[in-house]
Amino acid sequence: MNKRPAVVAATALALTLTLAACSDSGDSAESTGSSAASGTTVSHIHGLGLDPADQRLYVATHEGVYTPDAKGKPELVGDSKDDFMGFTVAGDKTFYASGHPTSGGNKGLIKSTDAGKTWKSLSLSGESDFHALDFAHGTVYGYDSTNGLVRTTKDGVSWKDGARLEALDIAVSPTDPGVILATTAEGVARSSDGGKTFARGKEPVMAFLSWTAKDGLYGIDTSGGLNRSTDGGTTWKKVAPVPGGQPQALTAVGAEHVLAATQTGVFESKDGGKTFKKRLAVALSGGH
């Protein structure tokens, strides 16, 4: 009878630790920036995506956005070494993100239409940090970690505020704009009204979620185990552990195509998570 509170407390701690590793800003961005200055290592990954225009991999980190060069080594995209959070690919060369400038503060919602070379501020600059962003149904869905809110916008400027909850990540149904899932310490919480309300989280507990195909909802737990649901999160099946331990990011490109970042690298699977190939090495960072 006393096991469940202990489990909830343990998973809450695990999510807190995962979140802490993803939310350092301002001062720490400057202190860790030198480790990535050479462009040969990356750490603190916050987002992953493939540009539909050319299938190039993009990795959003604590020290800028990177892409593999011809030799597979990380190359800085553009000249910004800001902390990029909530990174998501919305279309050909079109990305959304949030995060923190190296000088500190919050970026709000920013957008790039040249594959991350330059970024434009759209809204909530200085006000909000979106730890999770998803683009679906012509809408940007975000989890505003600064205010603990799920928020949505169609034009990138005017926002509708939804439910307040403590979450790490969100995922939107590719077939129903009203269905949003969120990772909480209690498990995966579900909204059926576009984020206005969420039901209580249900186990299993996931750190990150990604949902691109109707039958291809993926979740990665706090130890790096990949799980899949083919019924919108009602039931889950463990697939396999992703190499490298604690997860940092997860993106489902398609029903069988998955990208995952852990403590040791960015890994890609094209068979639904059964096997993984390392796409980019990650440097284990000290001091966090």
Side-chain angles (χ1 to χ4, degrees):
M1 296 292 290
N2 294 325
K3 287 184 178 180
R4 179 167 173 77
V7 170
V8 171
T11 51
L13 176 61
L15 282 178
T16 299
L17 292 173
T18 303
L19 181 58
C22 295
S23 60
D24 299 310
S25 61
D27 295 341
S28 58
E30 294 175 355
S31 65
T32 57
S34 60
S35 67
S38 64
T40 58
T41 60
V42 296
S43 62
H44 290 262
I45 292 173
H46 300 322
L48 303 165
L50 293 183
D51 187 346
D54 56 11
Q55 296 300 301
R56 178 174 284 275
L57 171 66
Y58 288 87
V59 181
T61 80
H62 199 62
E63 306 104 356
V65 177
Y66 288 80
T67 188
D69 64 14
K71 296 181 179 180
K73 294 182 178 181
E75 178 179 52
L76 184 67
V77 178
D79 57 7
S80 174
K81 291 183 180 176
D82 290 345
D83 184 8
F84 284 83
M85 303 286 293
F87 176 85
T88 190
V89 175
D92 290 359
K93 300 185 183 303
T94 303
F95 309 154
Y96 288 97
S98 188
H100 315 282
T102 55
S103 56
N106 295 323
K107 282 180 171 291
L109 182 68
I110 59 175
K111 182 180 183 180
S112 174
T113 55
D114 56 8
K117 294 183 180 68
T118 61
W119 294 84
K120 177 183 178 182
S121 175
L122 295 182
S123 58
L124 301 178
S125 178
E127 298 178 34
S128 299
D129 170 27
F130 290 93
H131 276 188
L133 290 168
D134 207 351
F135 182 80
H137 314 292
T139 301
V140 177
Y141 298 73
Y143 177 69
D144 179 350
S145 64
T146 308
N147 300 290
L149 275 175
V150 172
R151 313 177 83 169
T152 59
T153 180
K154 285 191 173 292
D155 61 6
V157 179
S158 301
W159 291 85
K160 290 184 179 179
D161 291 349
R164 290 189 178 274
L165 75 165
E166 292 184 15
L168 184 59
D169 195 18
I170 61 171
V172 181
S173 165
T175 59
D176 186 342
V179 174
I180 307 173
L181 304 181
T183 59
T184 74
E186 294 181 326
V188 179
R190 181 185 181 92
S191 172
S192 299
D193 55 14
K196 294 176 184 176
T197 61
F198 279 82
R200 193 182 185 95
K202 293 183 179 180
E203 295 182 357
V205 174
M206 301 292 177
F208 302 106
L209 299 170
S210 191
W211 198 359
T212 301
K214 180 180 180 181
D215 60 348
L217 167 61
Y218 289 89
I220 191 168
D221 60 37
T222 54
S223 63
L226 186 70
N227 299 259
R228 181 175 181 173
S229 175
T230 57
D231 56 12
T234 301
T235 60
W236 293 87
K237 181 180 179 181
K238 285 193 173 183
V239 181
V242 180
Q246 188 179 20
Q248 296 190 9
L250 176 70
T251 295
V253 182
E256 304 294 326
H257 194 175
V258 185
L259 297 168
T262 62
Q263 289 175 302
T264 64
V266 176
F267 298 88
E268 182 177 36
S269 175
K270 294 184 178 180
D271 56 10
K274 296 173 185 174
T275 60
F276 281 91
K277 177 182 179 182
K278 183 180 278 192
R279 289 291 309 273
L280 201 67
V282 172
L284 286 173
S285 58
H288 294 287

